[in-house]
């Protein structure tokens, strides 16, 4: 019977975390297959514990090595079909890749929203999210470019206005983004105006007026 139906046991769920008291990265739970993956791909060692055996990384490893082993083991366990909880602080892929994916998803959703917009006010809402001065998306790359301009000028020891021409262009690019944001907000304001549909009587009146 157990061969034909999936079994969901608590111990088949693997938790990889950092012991808050003693410090090492530990893996708790899992089947024998999971233990094999932990040992082969993550270099984990089996250790006896009060509630049964668990796994831990070798002592004395730098934190980056601990994170690498934890992330590698987690990915291998997932690939083999195991349920895994990896402590976010140990996940080497969580920060840059996760944040970048979230940013790309956000931009994709805005593109889809504006494509599906049926009113000019819906378009205005998307433009607001793109260019709003505080919480908009466009001011963020502008801020990155301004900081890059300052940081790139610094090694050259150049005062503003004296940096090499390619570096100086970063400053003008930041200004261009400012202008772009203003133009987008101007369009947003125009799109946000109520678009009253003229009645037949108004259209007739306009024709007579002309």
């Amino acid at each position: 019977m157990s061969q034909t139906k999936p079994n969901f046991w608590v111990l088949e769920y693997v938790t990889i975390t950092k012991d808050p008291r003693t410090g090492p990265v530990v893996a708790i739970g899992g089947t024998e297959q999971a233990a094999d993956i932990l040992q082969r791909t993550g270099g984990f060692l089996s250790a006896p514990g009060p509630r049964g055996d668990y796994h831990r990384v070798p002592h004395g490893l730098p934190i980056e090595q601990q994170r690498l082993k934890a992330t590698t083991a987690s990915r291998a366990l997932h690939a083999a079909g195991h349920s895994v909880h990896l402590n976010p602080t140990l996940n080497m892929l969580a920060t840059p890749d996760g944040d970048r994916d979230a940013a790309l998803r956000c931009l994709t959703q805005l593109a889809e929203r504006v494509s599906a917009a049926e009113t000019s006010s819906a378009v205005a809402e998307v433009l607001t999210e793109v260019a709003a001065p505080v919480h908009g998306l466009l001011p963020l790359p502008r801020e990155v470019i301004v900081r890059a301009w300052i940081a790139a000028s610094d090694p050259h020891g150049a005062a503003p206005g004296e940096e090499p021409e390619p570096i100086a262009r970063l400053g003008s690019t930041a200004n261009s983004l400012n202008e772009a944001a203003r133009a987008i907000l101007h369009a947003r304001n125009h799109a946000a105006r109520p678009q009253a549909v003229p009645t037949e009587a108004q259209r007739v009146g306009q024709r007579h007026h002309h």
Side-chain angles (χ1 to χ4, degrees):
M1 199 60 142
S2 63
Q3 297 297 315
T4 56
K5 288 187 178 179
N7 289 319
F8 298 99
W9 302 106
V10 172
L11 284 178
E12 290 185 1
Y13 192 96
V14 184
T15 298
I16 302 176
T17 189
K18 200 167 173 65
D19 188 315
R21 292 168 294 109
T22 57
V25 173
V26 297
I28 304 158
T31 59
E32 286 186 9
Q33 185 197 19
D36 180 64
I37 292 171
L38 283 164
Q39 291 168 21
R40 282 188 301 104
T41 65
F44 280 71
L45 306 174
S46 179
R51 298 181 185 173
D53 288 357
Y54 68 98
H55 285 79
R56 63 169 176 79
V57 298
H59 289 303
L61 290 178
I63 184 60
E64 286 308 304
Q65 276 296 312
Q66 294 181 34
R67 293 179 71 210
L68 177 61
K69 288 180 178 298
T71 303
T72 303
S74 172
R75 288 170 67 85
L77 286 165
H78 271 300
H82 294 274
S83 296
V84 187
H85 169 72
L86 175 62
N87 186 316
T89 62
L90 296 173
N91 190 349
M92 294 194 82
L93 305 176
T95 305
D97 290 353
D99 287 354
R100 185 173 183 276
D101 289 346
L104 291 175
R105 278 197 304 275
C106 176
L107 290 170
T108 302
Q109 286 165 4
L110 285 178
E112 289 169 354
R113 270 176 60 190
V114 83
S115 296
E118 295 182 353
T119 64
S120 58
S121 61
V123 174
E125 287 174 11
V126 175
L127 294 179
T128 301
E129 293 199 35
V130 171
V134 177
H135 297 295
L137 297 175
L138 198 54
L140 296 174
R142 179 197 170 276
E143 178 70 15
V144 172
I145 290 170
V146 167
R147 292 187 185 198
W149 173 36
I150 294 167
S153 301
D154 210 32
H156 292 88
E162 297 176 0
E163 60 275 87
E165 196 265 344
I167 304 299
R169 286 181 69 85
L170 287 174
S172 59
T173 300
N175 286 333
S176 298
L177 285 173
N178 257 352
E179 291 298 322
R182 275 198 286 272
I184 291 169
L185 290 176
H186 185 68
R188 184 275 315 268
N189 293 343
H190 189 80
R193 289 177 191 158
Q195 301 292 314
V197 178
T199 64
E200 183 61 31
Q202 286 173 323
R203 283 196 292 268
V204 171
Q206 286 169 353
R207 282 201 296 270
H208 283 311
H209 181 71
H210 290 298

